[in-house]
């Protein structure tokens, strides 16, 4: 009986003073200016100013989610707290399965290194994971974090849900007609295609794996340079995951709950959620072919309960004696701008080439057109970087969505070249439609320098068999600016007219102390400067040339002088006759005075 009452209290927490106080505490700690109404719902201030996220541009396609609110007890009860069914269920609801919790914390650590300014707390991933999949159905995952059985949302066929036609040929959701949200964090395939990550290091990006999904969710929430320690950015990030105020409030409730503390429970022992957003009175029904989760104690597929009797009678109400008036056929929905797009065309994009580490001067421009070639405005164009590259759009993302202007043109954000050179592609496509897109070839070239100068003017000299006291320091520039990370080769050559490697004179030493006269793989620092390793000299004297060349063709020759070693004078021969001028025996005797 106590457990039954506890469940009723929990399910009705939104209407209790206790829930109102919990959300009020959240408002005070996380959302300055937010208020709480008399139903315990949080009014999130500028929530309406968050991105107006279209279904196919959200992580989940705005799919249904679990609406259960946190328990009323402490999130980290002591082992002795509670007993029997109520205590066991309370612990299961408050705790997080071990593997799932580990995935959240590993994702937080990875984001702390990659995007420290995002300030992503693992508790936010836990809150979203609770709302999306009930912590992967109570931790029913394998040792590597993969769900025991796939977790799929309803098909997004427009019947009570968003209309998102198949984008993955059924690869993730086994549905070749419509997309469905997939896995512990409920990514739709079109979002996973660019947001997916490998969180467990197995070389795969699997939306059904909690490590992969948690890391992907972290990166998704941290895009656009959002700082999740700021309430406004936090709300925008959550709403971009699923654009619903109720969703926002539910996630924030769990976030606050987990921030107060939680505990680890064994995999597979977590409590399964009971309420879904599409099962509330007045909510849109599930799409055909989907079955809401079974309620505890009620098998899946059970027939609905009969309607209660009409007040004052012992039997259901009698049907009306007159036929209902004919219904008016629904008006056809006018096509959206996206529906009218037939294809995309390049809108005058120039050559897309940039040096590694530099921003591309040219930006991609794409035009949306009807079949007749007419421009289509207000269409979302998704630009996706495809290929083996570390080049990104501004903000470090590999995808960007831009709405076409009145001329039907969408201009992508500037590309930022990474360090990986070579060619790759950026694919422009209509978000939410499978129409002819436009691929753009992009090339990243190696860093180069057009000038190389020596730092310092002191002559570089050494005695034969010794070592040079002064190091060789140079600076590379490109267009007058410091050229950092540019490859440099240093070679001791025979002469200015003969670039062959010299076999005598100054030399470097390798790691084993052996003589070498050519150094490859050198790179300038961020300031464009490079200090060469120590130089040594053999017994050959003279003037020698050190030639330095950079990627891009800059060349510098440095003179090195090897002088003869000082020759000491001969040692005196002790057997030789002494200098007569200093020999006392040869000095004249003193004549006595008269």
């Amino acid at each position: 009986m106590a457990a039954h009452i506890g469940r009723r209290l929990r399910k009705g927490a939104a209407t209790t003073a206790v829930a109102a106080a919990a959300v009020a505490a959240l408002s005070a700690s996380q959302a300055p200016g937010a208020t709480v109404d008399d139903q315990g719902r949080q009014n999130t201030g500028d929530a309406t100013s968050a991105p107006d996220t279209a279904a196919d541009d959200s992580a989940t396609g705005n799919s249904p989610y679990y609406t259960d609110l946190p328990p009323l007890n402490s999130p980290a009860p002591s082992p002795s707290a509670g007993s029997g069914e109520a205590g066991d269920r309370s612990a299961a609801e408050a705790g997080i399965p071990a593997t799932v919790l580990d995935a959240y914390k590993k994702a937080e650590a990875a984001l702390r290194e990659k995007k420290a300014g995002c300030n992503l707390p693992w508790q936010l991933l836990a809150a979203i994971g609770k709302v999306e999949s009930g912590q992967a159905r109570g931790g029913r995952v394998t040792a590597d974090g993969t769900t025991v059985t796939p977790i799929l949302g309803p098909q997004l066929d427009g019947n009570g849900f968003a209309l998102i036609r198949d984008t993955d040929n059924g690869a993730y959701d086994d549905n070749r007609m419509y997309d469905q949200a997939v896995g512990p964090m409920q990514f739709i395939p079109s979002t996973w295609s660019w947001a997916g990550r490998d969180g467990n290091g197995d070389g795969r990006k699997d939306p059904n794996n909690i490590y992969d999904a948690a890391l992907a969710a972290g990166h998704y929430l941290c895009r656009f340079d959002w700082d999740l320690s700021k309430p406004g950015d936090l709300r925008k990030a959550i709403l971009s995951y699923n654009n619903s105020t109720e969703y926002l409030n539910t996630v924030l409730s769990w976030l606050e709950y987990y921030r107060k503390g939680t505990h680890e429970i064994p995999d597979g022992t977590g409590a399964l959620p009971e309420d879904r957003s599409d099962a509330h009175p007045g909510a849109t029904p599930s799409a055909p072919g989907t079955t809401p989760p079974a309620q505890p104690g009620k098998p899946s597929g059970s027939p609905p309960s009969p309607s209660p009797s009409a007040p004052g009678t012992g039997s259901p109400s009698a049907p009306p004696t007159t036929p209902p008036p004919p219904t008016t056929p629904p008006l056809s929905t006018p096509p959206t701008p996206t529906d009218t797009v037939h294809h995309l065309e390049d809108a005058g994009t120039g050559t897309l080439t940039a040096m590694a580490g530099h921003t591309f001067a040219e930006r991609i421009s794409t035009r949306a057109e009807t079949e007749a070639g007419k421009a289509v405005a207000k269409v979302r164009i998704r630009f996706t970087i495809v290929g083996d590259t570390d080049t990104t759009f501004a903000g470090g993302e590999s995808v960007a969505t831009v709405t076409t202007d009145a001329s039907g043109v969408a201009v992508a954000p500037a590309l930022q070249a990474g360090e990986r050179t070579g060619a790759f592609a950026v694919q422009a496509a209509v978000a939410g439609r499978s129409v002819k897109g436009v691929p753009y070839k992009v090339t990243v070239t190696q860093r180069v320098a057009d000038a190389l100068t020596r730092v310092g003017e002191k002559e570089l000299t050494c005695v034969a068999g010794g070592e040079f006291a002064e190091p060789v320091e140079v600076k590379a520039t490109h267009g007058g600016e410091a050229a950092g990370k540019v490859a440099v080769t240093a070679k001791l050559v025979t002469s200015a007219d003969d670039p062959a490697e010299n076999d005598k004179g100054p030399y470097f030493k390798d790691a084993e102390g052996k003589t070498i006269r050519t150094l490859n793989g050198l790179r300038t620092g961020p300031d464009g400067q490079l200090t060469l390793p120590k130089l040594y000299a053999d017994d050959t004297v003279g003037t020698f040339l050190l030639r330095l060349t950079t990627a891009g063709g800059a060349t510098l020759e440095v003179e090195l002088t090897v002088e003869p070693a000082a020759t000491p004078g001969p040692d005196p021969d002790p057997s030789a006759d002494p200098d007569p001028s200093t020999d006392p025996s040869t000095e004249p005797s003193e004549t006595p005075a008269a």
Side-chain angles (χ1 to χ4, degrees):
M1 182 64 178
H4 177 67
I5 294 174
R7 287 196 294 271
R8 290 188 60 186
L9 283 173
R10 183 178 59 258
K11 291 177 66 176
T15 61
T16 66
V18 177
V23 182
L26 176 64
S27 301
S29 63
Q30 288 297 315
T35 60
V36 178
D37 63 19
D38 58 0
Q39 297 296 310
R41 294 186 296 262
Q42 185 180 17
N43 300 316
T44 54
D46 65 350
T48 55
S49 65
D52 184 13
T53 310
D56 58 312
D57 277 342
S58 69
T60 68
N62 297 334
S63 293
Y65 54 90
Y66 291 108
T67 59
D68 300 47
L69 290 174
L72 302 180
N73 61 295
S74 168
S78 62
S80 60
S83 60
E85 180 188 353
D88 294 342
R89 183 173 182 85
S90 174
E93 287 183 334
I96 300 177
T99 299
V100 179
L101 180 59
D102 184 57
Y104 297 149
K105 291 186 176 181
K106 279 186 167 57
E108 179 198 51
L111 267 296
R112 189 184 306 120
E113 178 182 350
K114 295 291 185 181
K115 294 187 176 182
C118 177
N119 294 304
L120 171 80
W122 67 260
Q123 292 91 340
L124 176 58
L125 296 176
I128 291 176
K130 180 69 175 183
V131 169
E132 294 294 347
S133 67
Q135 309 300 19
R137 288 180 176 161
R140 288 158 179 81
V141 296
T142 59
D144 70 347
T146 303
T147 58
V148 175
T149 56
I151 302 175
L152 296 174
Q155 65 178 13
L156 301 173
D157 59 0
N159 184 12
F161 304 104
L163 174 59
I164 305 179
R165 301 187 187 280
D166 176 56
T167 61
D168 64 331
N169 198 30
Y172 295 120
D173 53 14
D174 200 28
N175 188 334
R176 290 180 172 83
M177 293 187 65
Y178 303 99
D179 273 352
Q180 294 174 249
V182 181
M185 305 303 276
Q186 289 290 277
F187 278 97
I188 54 174
S190 59
T191 302
W192 184 261
S193 66
W194 60 264
R197 295 291 193 278
D198 177 15
N200 61 353
D202 64 357
R204 300 174 60 232
K205 299 176 182 179
D206 183 3
N208 294 296
N209 182 280
I210 184 59
Y211 288 98
D212 294 358
L215 183 59
H219 277 277
Y220 185 91
L221 293 164
C222 287
R223 70 199 194 287
F224 302 137
D225 290 330
W226 281 332
D227 179 356
L228 302 186
S229 66
K230 298 179 179 178
D233 283 359
L234 175 64
R235 292 192 291 269
K236 291 175 184 177
I238 296 172
L239 284 170
S240 76
Y241 210 89
N242 191 313
N243 196 21
S244 160
T245 302
E246 184 181 9
Y247 181 88
L248 170 68
N249 291 336
T250 306
V251 170
L252 287 175
S253 297
W254 281 104
L255 171 60
E256 178 67 10
Y257 181 77
Y258 288 134
R259 273 179 165 155
K260 293 178 180 177
T262 185
H263 60 281
E264 179 183 298
I265 59 175
D267 289 345
T269 64
L272 295 177
E274 299 179 4
D275 295 333
R276 283 207 330 178
S277 59
D278 58 341
H280 289 177
T284 52
S286 298
T290 65
T291 305
Q295 301 295 320
K298 182 178 180 180
S300 176
S302 300
S305 302
S307 302
S309 301
T313 67
S315 61
S317 302
T321 56
T322 58
T327 58
T328 304
L331 297 176
S332 59
T333 304
T336 65
T338 301
D339 294 331
T340 66
V341 177
H342 178 263
H343 61 274
L344 297 180
E345 293 285 349
D346 174 47
T349 306
T351 303
L352 295 165
T353 302
M355 190 190 308
H358 289 64
T359 301
F360 282 73
E362 187 71 18
R363 294 169 66 179
I364 298 173
S365 297
T366 304
R367 176 181 162 98
E369 298 182 353
T370 65
E371 186 172 7
K374 183 179 179 181
V376 185
K378 298 182 180 180
V379 175
R380 297 183 313 283
I381 306 300
R382 180 177 292 130
F383 299 94
T384 306
I385 297 173
V386 181
D388 185 15
T389 181
D390 54 354
T391 295
T392 63
F393 290 110
E397 298 300 328
S398 61
V399 66
T401 302
V402 182
T403 302
T404 57
D405 59 18
S407 62
V409 174
V411 180
L415 286 163
Q416 177 65 42
E419 295 301 323
R420 198 170 302 166
T421 60
F424 59 97
V426 173
Q427 182 72 34
V430 178
R433 286 285 309 281
S434 296
V435 301
K436 180 183 176 182
V438 182
Y440 293 87
K441 182 180 178 180
V442 185
T443 304
V444 176
T445 61
Q446 66 177 333
R447 292 174 180 263
V448 299
D450 55 20
L452 193 60
T453 58
R454 187 182 161 209
V455 178
E457 299 179 354
K458 190 173 182 180
E459 291 185 359
L460 299 169
T461 61
C462 173
V463 297
E467 59 184 51
F468 288 80
E470 294 292 327
V472 178
E473 295 181 275
V474 296
K475 182 173 182 178
T477 57
H478 184 268
E481 300 292 333
K485 301 183 181 180
V486 173
V488 179
T489 297
K491 184 178 182 181
L492 290 149
V493 298
T494 303
S495 68
D497 299 324
D498 186 356
E501 181 181 283
N502 207 337
D503 60 356
K504 57 187 176 181
Y507 61 91
F508 299 104
K509 290 183 180 180
D510 64 11
E512 298 176 353
K514 296 180 180 179
T515 298
I516 54 172
R517 290 187 167 90
T518 300
L519 292 178
N520 296 306
L522 302 172
R523 286 193 179 273
T524 60
D527 58 357
Q529 295 195 186
L530 169 67
T531 301
L532 270 61
K534 182 181 288 293
L535 274 162
Y536 302 86
D538 61 15
D539 294 333
T540 308
V541 298
T543 300
F544 302 88
L545 283 182
L546 171 64
R547 178 173 292 167
L548 298 103
T549 56
T550 71
T555 303
L556 173 67
E557 291 183 346
V558 180
E559 284 192 353
L560 304 172
T561 302
V562 179
E563 300 173 338
T567 303
D571 292 333
D573 185 356
S575 64
D577 291 337
D579 185 349
S581 63
T582 60
D583 187 352
S585 64
T586 64
E587 293 181 1
S589 59
E590 183 177 354
T591 302

